[in-house]
Amino acid sequence: MSEKKAAGGLQGIVAGQSAISTVGVGGIGLNYRGYDINDLAYKCSFEEVTYLLLKGNLPNQQQLNELKTLIQQKRQIPCKLKQILETLPKESHPMDIMRTVASIVGILEPETKSGQEYEISIRLISLFGPALLYWYHYSNSGIKINENTGKDSIAENFLKLYHLKSQIDPLVIKTFDVSLILYAEHDFAASTFAARVTVSTLSDFYSGITTAIGTLRGPLHGGANEAAMQYLEPLRSIPQADQFLNSRYQSKQLIMGFGHRVYKKEDPRSPIIKDFSLQLSKTANGDPTLLAVSQHIEKRMIEEKKIYPNLDFYSASAYKQCGVPTPMFTAIFVISRMTGWGGHIIEQRSNNKLMRPVSEYTGPAKKQFVPIEMRNKANL
């Protein structure tokens, strides 16, 4: 039986089966366990989606209340982890902090028996934000924050801890919460596939997560929202936006935040986060110039290049208007995607088979071996 040759980057290659999400079926759409992303984003909380992805169904009220209580309990940062976070330089990238947190918790609270995946997933989802912000405030100002803000959601807890405020604009909380839902799961994306490859070797849960975080860090995956904001932030007028685009066109450089390997046209998550970014731009603390520039770039990219924005493009302006610093954008992605990674690790382990693909060899033909003495004489 002949083997099917892989396209570049494994594009179009079916690498396994999953019941967690459908992405780009027929070139459109996104569903989590059968639920349309629009319904989940506008009608659910991130905690409900967390339960859905890890457990397989949406929770009833009692189940949701129990999850919220568990999340509150699991926010506590271990003392030894705090000590380590206090030693890390403030120049560290937040993604390196997240990877370190996963590794240290894996040492302090190791996976010792089967069936711990749900508990560990909730532990990391709950802990990542407080741990990141503990490091951030300590390294920048010496403040040791109290990580537990009571019964707050993941979104509200993060925003309160970052801004060191007891009250946050409800629209900012909702925007942040929706972003977590939109980033939560996306089939066999690079980081998810990497996590599944790792645990397919029967490695532990935390190893799968550190693998995923390292994969997510790159600008062609999770880091795209950071890269988008880096070029958007200096553009304060339409002429500046045009100059930027024209320069990128001429140099044939990628414009981060546009295009997708799966969706043929519009990323179904993009109009949702765009909606919230637009809402924020109309508030007292919003940035209407940033939105005007973003919309102009979007219009030109669609009309001139037939390339549509992906989730990362308007997530950049949404996070910026939530007051979150650009280097934290991808770290927030980690908090969200922990739900998808956890679900996929559980699924991989339920019917595990070691992932060991083959490559198409493109090296030289078989060569005759030359002893080192002859190589010296021949100056080979």
Side-chain angles (χ1 to χ4, degrees), residues 351-368:
N351 185 26
N352 188 60
K353 189 172 183 179
L354 175 66
M355 291 194 188
R356 202 313 189 175
V358 297
S359 65
E360 180 184 357
Y361 180 67
T362 60
K366 186 175 181 180
K367 297 180 178 180
Q368 183 178 356

Side-chain angles (χ1 to χ4, degrees), residues 174-371:
K174 179 61 178 176
T175 300
F176 197 94
D177 191 76
V178 167
S179 80
L180 296 178
I181 293 172
L182 297 178
Y183 273 120
E185 161 59 10
H186 216 233
D187 189 43
F188 278 16
S191 57
T192 300
F193 186 66
R196 291 188 73 135
V197 170
T198 297
V199 299
S200 79
T201 70
L202 301 186
S203 188
D204 69 295
F205 189 100
Y206 296 98
S207 293
I209 298 304
T210 54
T211 300
I213 293 172
T215 306
L216 188 69
R217 195 186 195 285
L220 292 183
H221 189 9
N225 51 18
E226 287 185 44
M229 195 64 242
Q230 285 166 0
Y231 73 72
L232 282 170
E233 192 164 17
L235 305 178
R236 303 308 297 170
S237 68
I238 300 304
Q240 286 182 342
D242 284 330
Q243 185 177 15
F244 165 79
L245 276 180
N246 294 339
S247 174
R248 288 296 178 100
Y249 285 178
Q250 290 175 3
S251 60
K252 297 182 179 180
Q253 289 181 276
L254 286 175
I255 298 175
M256 304 306 293
F258 284 86
H260 200 280
R261 288 287 293 274
V262 176
Y263 301 113
K264 294 178 181 178
K265 288 191 176 181
E266 188 172 57
D267 181 337
R269 302 167 297 179
S270 179
I272 299 172
I273 198 64
K274 178 181 178 180
D275 175 22
F276 283 93
S277 191
L278 281 168
Q279 290 183 51
L280 287 172
S281 74
K282 299 171 184 176
T283 65
N285 295 318
D287 190 341
T289 300
L290 175 60
L291 262 293
V293 166
S294 298
Q295 289 178 293
H296 181 72
I297 291 174
E298 176 191 21
K299 184 174 184 292
R300 280 195 59 184
M301 285 292 290
I302 293 173
E303 290 179 352
E304 298 167 10
K305 298 294 183 180
K306 302 297 186 289
I307 302 176
Y308 291 78
N310 55 44
L311 172 59
D312 295 312
F313 184 65
Y314 280 105
S315 289
S317 57
Y319 284 144
K320 190 68 177 178
Q321 293 178 105
C322 287
V324 178
T326 302
M328 284 191 186
F329 288 4
T330 315
I332 295 168
F333 196 159
V334 171
I335 301 169
S336 169
R337 189 56 62 89
M338 254 309 306
T339 56
W341 292 338
H344 277 275
I345 289 174
I346 293 169
E347 186 176 65
Q348 179 67 34
R349 286 178 166 181
S350 69
N351 185 26
N352 188 60
K353 189 172 183 179
L354 175 66
M355 291 194 188
R356 202 313 189 175
V358 297
S359 65
E360 180 184 357
Y361 180 67
T362 60
K366 186 175 181 180
K367 297 180 178 180
Q368 183 178 356
F369 179 76
V370 180

Side-chain angles (χ1 to χ4, degrees), residues 25-170:
V25 175
I28 58 173
L30 173 61
N31 298 283
Y32 296 171
R33 297 198 186 274
Y35 292 98
D36 185 271
I37 192 62
N38 285 277
D39 289 331
L40 296 175
Y42 285 105
K43 301 174 184 177
C44 285
S45 65
F46 175 61
E47 285 73 16
E48 289 175 86
V49 172
T50 295
Y51 192 96
L52 170 68
L53 292 173
L54 293 174
K55 290 287 194 178
N57 53 272
L58 286 170
N60 59 33
Q61 191 60 57
Q62 180 180 343
Q63 292 167 332
L64 181 59
N65 291 342
E66 290 172 353
L67 174 58
K68 289 180 177 179
T69 299
L70 182 61
I71 287 171
Q72 181 182 351
Q73 295 169 350
K74 295 295 183 180
R75 283 183 181 139
Q76 190 69 33
I77 306 173
C79 290
K80 290 184 178 179
L81 176 56
K82 286 184 177 180
Q83 293 170 0
I84 292 169
L85 291 171
E86 290 171 11
T87 68
L88 301 179
K90 68 177 183 179
E91 296 80 15
S92 303
H93 193 283
M95 285 296 284
D96 297 335
I97 302 299
M98 302 298 260
R99 187 184 63 231
T100 300
V101 169
S103 292
I104 297 302
V105 176
I107 295 170
L108 299 177
E109 304 171 11
E111 183 180 22
T112 57
K113 59 185 178 181
S114 62
Q116 290 183 281
E117 295 92 349
Y118 178 75
E119 180 183 351
I120 295 173
S121 295
I122 299 303
R123 174 59 161 154
L124 291 176
I125 292 164
S126 307
L127 179 65
F128 271 140
L132 173 67
L133 296 173
Y134 185 93
W135 160 79
Y136 173 79
H137 286 297
Y138 185 86
S139 65
N140 282 278
S141 59
I143 297 173
K144 296 183 180 182
I145 63 170
N146 177 6
E147 64 269 26
N148 206 331
T149 60
K151 297 181 180 180
D152 292 331
S153 66
I154 295 287
E156 190 167 5
N157 173 260
F158 186 97
L159 292 165
K160 284 183 176 180
L161 292 181
Y162 173 70
H163 292 292
L164 297 179
K165 292 182 178 180
S166 59
Q167 298 293 325
I168 302 293
D169 182 343

